[in-house]
Amino acid sequence: MYYGEIKRNDIANGEGVRVSLFVSGCRNCCPGCFNRETWDFQYGQEFTAATEELVLTALEPPHVSGLTVLGGEPFEPENQQVLAAFLQRVKLLFPQKDIWCFTGCILERDILSVQGRCHTAYTEQLLSCIDVLVDGPFVESEKEVGLQFRGSRNQRILRHPLYGGGKVL
């Protein structure tokens, strides 16, 4: 897996001060996407053990609320194995911090369904680590600047997506 950027003090992609990991690779290719360069699966740098340690160190300060994973597309099948193992490690080391994930996929259709394009052997493990999932493709015609943590009205903010997916906002 590759990643495009790590933000150590991000306040735009989840509640509180967060560490954000922008993974590479996306087949959704939403028109108007703010991060088109991350569509390329080889964009940026390889996610290595050293990268993991960098992110874990950035999560240590008490003022950091948690980790946000976005992209690119975290749920691309090529990204799930690495992310599932890494997010389990984050949960183990920082149980008091939450994990947010942004996906251009639709939870029920693309991720949970066994026939979904992003359903893999690692999907459940990955979802079990995520506290808040923002799902749905960016739709330019539904863009609304004032939306919190979303770019377009069709996107949903779901708490504990594997265990009920209750709508938050």
Side-chain angles (χ1 to χ4, degrees), residues 23-41:
V23 302
S24 295
C26 184
R27 292 183 182 91
N28 296 324
C29 302
C30 301
C33 174
F34 80 100
N35 213 4
R36 293 177 60 106
E37 60 274 1
T38 62
W39 294 359
D40 180 351
F41 283 84

Side-chain angles (χ1 to χ4, degrees), residues 147-166:
L147 291 173
Q148 190 174 35
F149 309 127
R150 298 175 290 156
S152 57
R153 287 184 302 277
N154 63 295
Q155 295 171 317
R156 303 178 298 173
I157 300 175
L158 306 169
R159 190 164 301 279
H160 304 292
L162 187 59
Y163 308 109

Side-chain angles (χ1 to χ4, degrees), residues 52-109:
E52 278 195 25
E53 295 308 317
L54 181 90
V55 174
L56 294 173
T57 299
L59 285 167
E60 287 176 355
H63 72 276
V64 175
S65 300
L67 175 68
T68 297
V69 182
L70 58 169
E73 176 55 64
F75 280 93
E76 286 294 355
E78 294 88 339
N79 293 334
Q80 287 191 40
Q81 182 177 6
V82 171
L83 282 176
F86 177 61
L87 294 188
Q88 280 190 316
R89 190 169 176 214
V90 170
K91 279 291 188 194
L92 182 66
L93 294 173
F94 302 102
Q96 75 282 12
K97 299 187 187 241
D98 62 6
I99 297 175
W100 282 53
C101 183
F102 287 74
T103 177
C105 298
I106 296 172
L107 177 65
E108 298 82 2
R109 181 190 72 201

Side-chain angles (χ1 to χ4, degrees), residues 75 105-120 123-124 127 133 135 156 158 160-165:
F75 280 93
C105 298
I106 296 172
L107 177 65
E108 298 82 2
R109 181 190 72 201
D110 303 318
I111 298 171
L112 290 177
S113 170
V114 177
Q115 292 81 30
R117 107 167 167 77
C118 289
H119 187 85
T120 74
T123 301
E124 224 172 274
L127 281 171
L133 181 75
D135 85 333
R156 303 178 298 173
L158 306 169
H160 304 292
L162 187 59
Y163 308 109

